Amino acid sequence: MVDTGENEDVSRVKEPAASGIPEEIAASLCTCGGIEGLENMLPSDAYLERVSARHRACADPIRLKILAMLAIQPLCVCVIKAVLGIADSKLSYHLGVLKKAGLIRGEQQVNWIIYSLTDEGAECLDR
Amino acid sequence: MVDTGENEDVSRVKEPAASGIPEEIAASLCTCGGIEGLENMLPSDAYLERVSARHRACADPIRLKILAMLAIQPLCVCVIKAVLGIADSKLSYHLGVLKKAGLIRGEQQVNWIIYSLTDEGAECLDR
DNA sequence: GTGGTGTTTCAAAATTGTTTGAAATAGGAA
DNA sequence: TTCCTATTTCAAACAATTTTGAAACACCAC
């Protein structure tokens, strides 16, 4: 029962411009409980934070390429480096971003660290 | 038929460490054509660029919230602003980012601009 | 014309993300 | 022990993104 204006004046109801909201929007806003109702339909801030963090981790072509490689098979850092042709520390940075986002995991083998996709990382790819 | 080492010495084949690639990785790498084969299985740089750009557009909770709102119904800037409670210019910036990424479109109505999701924007949400 | 509303644009500041090269670490081999 | 290899960490430099507030614009009403 949220209304768009103060509504003391009937002429205003015809012209919601006075309250700053276009007619059609106001009308369908009412069907979902006005601005307050709309707010309640939205995901929580915590959820939005989590989802945006996942997008942020995927927001770089190098990292996307790493994910694509690991989707083919788990790989050690040296192979990833050979394919990407970037500096060690740069690669390490991007691996760190993906790892912190929970998209990949690294397992220490004898001499090397083998990286592989997590379930969440795999999901990222078919999206 | 890409191999992992120079292979002049048979003892080396048993120990691919000399060529910097762990045994298991080297073995399965061979089944996909070595590093070169792996490279060929990866998406093009142009594609990775496009996909990462889409993720970048979604990499902010404010923008994700705007997408969620517009998934409920098209809205004018003023309503979006009322829900988010942020400054005009800040909102305008984020709308611009989403628009440039092709996730939303704005249509000039009489007095207002009504924003709505594009198909691509809608896809972003069920992902 | 003036004034008001809704929205964008602009430039500066603040923040965040990325790259670089050097140094550190951890493990194995000699 | 010393050396070597694989990888990470660090700090500085650099680049990109975001926020801010002011100004601009476009449109409508008066």
Side-chain angles (χ1 to χ4, degrees):
Chain A
M1 206 156 276
V2 173
D3 210 337
T4 59
E6 274 60 45
N7 200 12
E8 344 65 31
D9 181 358
V10 182
S11 69
R12 262 178 151 177
V13 175
K14 272 185 169 174
E15 180 49 275
S19 67
I21 297 174
E23 253 177 299
E24 327 133 50
I25 300 294
S28 53
L29 252 191
C30 285
T31 77
C32 70
I35 286 180
E36 228 183 297
L38 188 58
E39 260 167 343
N40 293 332
M41 296 175 76
L42 299 175
S44 73
D45 287 352
Y47 175 79
L48 293 172
E49 199 54 71
R50 259 182 289 126
V51 175
S52 65
R54 185 152 51 73
H55 282 295
R56 212 171 303 125
C58 295
D60 184 292
I62 292 181
R63 293 198 289 269
L64 244 26
K65 204 165 186 173
I66 294 172
L67 292 178
M69 294 174 67
L70 297 182
I72 296 171
Q73 65 164 71
L75 292 168
C76 61
V77 179
C78 49
V79 171
I80 301 175
K81 187 193 156 181
V83 173
L84 295 180
I86 61 178
D88 288 338
S89 60
K90 186 170 173 175
L91 176 51
S92 205
Y93 167 74
H94 286 292
L95 289 173
V97 172
L98 290 169
K99 197 168 158 194
K100 214 184 293 182
L103 269 31
I104 66 175
R105 87 180 64 89
E107 273 185 283
Q108 182 78 247
Q109 301 296 50
V110 217
N111 242 323
W112 308 271
I113 296 173
I114 310 285
Y115 277 97
S116 56
L117 284 189
T118 61
D119 290 349
E120 206 183 342
E123 274 176 30
C124 279
L125 281 172
D126 36 56
R127 279 172 177 191
Chain B
M1 204 155 281
V2 174
D3 210 336
T4 59
E6 273 62 42
N7 202 13
E8 341 70 27
D9 180 359
V10 181
S11 68
R12 264 185 151 173
V13 174
K14 273 187 169 173
E15 181 49 275
S19 66
I21 296 174
E23 253 177 297
E24 330 132 48
I25 300 293
S28 54
L29 252 191
C30 284
T31 76
C32 71
I35 287 182
E36 228 184 296
L38 189 58
E39 259 167 343
N40 293 331
M41 297 176 74
L42 301 174
S44 73
D45 287 352
Y47 174 78
L48 293 172
E49 199 54 71
R50 261 181 288 124
V51 175
S52 65
R54 186 154 50 71
H55 282 295
R56 212 171 302 125
C58 295
D60 184 293
I62 292 180
R63 293 198 289 269
L64 242 29
K65 202 164 188 174
I66 293 172
L67 291 178
M69 294 175 68
L70 297 182
I72 298 172
Q73 65 164 72
L75 292 168
C76 61
V77 178
C78 47
V79 170
I80 301 175
K81 187 194 154 180
V83 173
L84 294 180
I86 60 179
D88 287 337
S89 61
K90 185 169 174 176
L91 176 51
S92 204
Y93 167 73
H94 286 291
L95 289 172
V97 172
L98 290 169
K99 197 168 159 193
K100 215 185 292 181
L103 269 33
I104 65 175
R105 87 182 63 90
E107 272 185 284
Q108 182 77 249
Q109 300 296 48
V110 219
N111 242 320
W112 307 273
I113 297 174
I114 310 285
Y115 278 97
S116 55
L117 285 188
T118 61
D119 290 348
E120 207 182 339
E123 273 175 32
C124 279
L125 282 172
D126 37 56
R127 276 170 184 192

